């Protein structure tokens, strides 16, 4: 379990702060899907196209490498065609880096964004509508 964690030792008198890779991946995934133009996070290709992960499985599209006080993150996304792909990727990098550094205290070395697919207007809207329906169904069951 130690290889999955980084120990941050800022003050010797208070003790250590430990942040796991999983926590970093969750934060990165949640910040990524907030960016306008991101249709979803992908874990790779299924058939001929990249698949969009459901919200519970977003971390499968995020890889984290950590060493003492530092981290590098790879995020695979699917973007909306109508929004500039480069601008979306840049925005993901900035948002994820700033949030991770402020929430975890880690020095983020790199945020690598891999574009696994591009969805066009109708496809992107269908995916968003499906996500909304899934959320509504879950709320109704509770």
């Amino acid at each position: 379990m130690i290889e999955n964690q980084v120990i941050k030792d800022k003050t010797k008198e208070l003790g250590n702060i430990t942040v796991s890779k999983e926590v970093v991946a969750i934060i990165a995934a949640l910040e990524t899907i907030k960016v306008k133009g991101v249709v979803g996070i992908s874990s790779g290709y299924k058939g001929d196209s990249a698949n969009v992960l459901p919200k519970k499985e977003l971390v499968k599209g995020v890889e984290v490498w950590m060493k003492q006080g530092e981290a590098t993150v790879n995020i695979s996304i699917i973007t909306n065609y109508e929004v500039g792909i480069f601008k979306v990727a840049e925005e993901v990098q900035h948002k994820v880096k700033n949030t991770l550094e402020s929430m975890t205290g880690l020095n983020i070395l790199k945020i690598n964004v891999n574009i696994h697919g591009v969805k066009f207007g109708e496809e992107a809207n269908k995916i968003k509508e499906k996500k909304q329906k899934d959320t509504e169904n879950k709320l109704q069951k509770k």
Side-chain angles (χ1 to χ4, degrees):
M1 187 72 181
I2 292 295
E3 69 271 358
N4 288 336
Q5 300 177 345
V6 168
I7 298 171
K8 190 85 170 158
D9 187 16
K10 283 196 171 187
T11 56
K12 293 183 188 275
E13 54 201 54
L14 293 177
N16 298 325
I17 298 172
T18 305
V19 180
S20 73
K21 284 183 178 183
E22 290 79 16
V23 169
V24 173
I26 290 167
I27 294 168
L30 292 175
E31 283 303 307
T32 298
I33 61 172
K34 289 180 185 177
V35 175
K36 182 181 179 192
V38 173
V39 175
I41 295 180
S42 172
S43 64
Y45 295 93
K46 193 175 193 178
D48 291 338
S49 63
N51 63 323
V52 177
L53 293 169
K55 195 165 188 169
K56 284 186 174 181
E57 298 177 14
L58 289 177
V59 294
K60 290 181 179 179
V62 179
E63 294 177 89
V64 179
W65 291 276
M66 296 174 78
K67 55 183 177 177
Q68 190 90 19
E70 299 176 335
T72 298
V73 180
N74 276 2
I75 306 169
S76 300
I77 65 170
I78 298 171
T79 64
N80 189 336
Y81 179 76
E82 281 81 28
V83 182
I85 296 168
F86 182 77
K87 286 185 177 185
V88 170
E90 266 189 329
E91 181 69 19
V92 168
Q93 287 176 320
H94 292 295
K95 275 195 133 179
V96 171
K97 183 179 191 313
N98 292 338
T99 302
L100 284 174
E101 286 180 343
S102 68
M103 290 182 79
T104 66
L106 294 169
N107 179 30
I108 305 302
L109 301 175
K110 290 183 183 179
I111 303 290
N112 300 312
V113 178
N114 304 303
I115 312 299
H116 274 217
V118 177
K119 299 289 183 189
F120 298 93
E122 288 180 19
E123 282 182 283
N125 288 337
K126 285 180 185 177
I127 291 170
K128 286 181 182 178
E129 287 173 13
K130 185 179 183 296
K131 285 182 187 178
Q132 287 175 343
K133 285 181 183 177
D134 291 344
T135 304
E136 289 171 5
N137 289 338
K138 288 178 188 175
L139 292 174
Q140 288 175 355
K141 288 180 183 178
K142 290 182 180 182

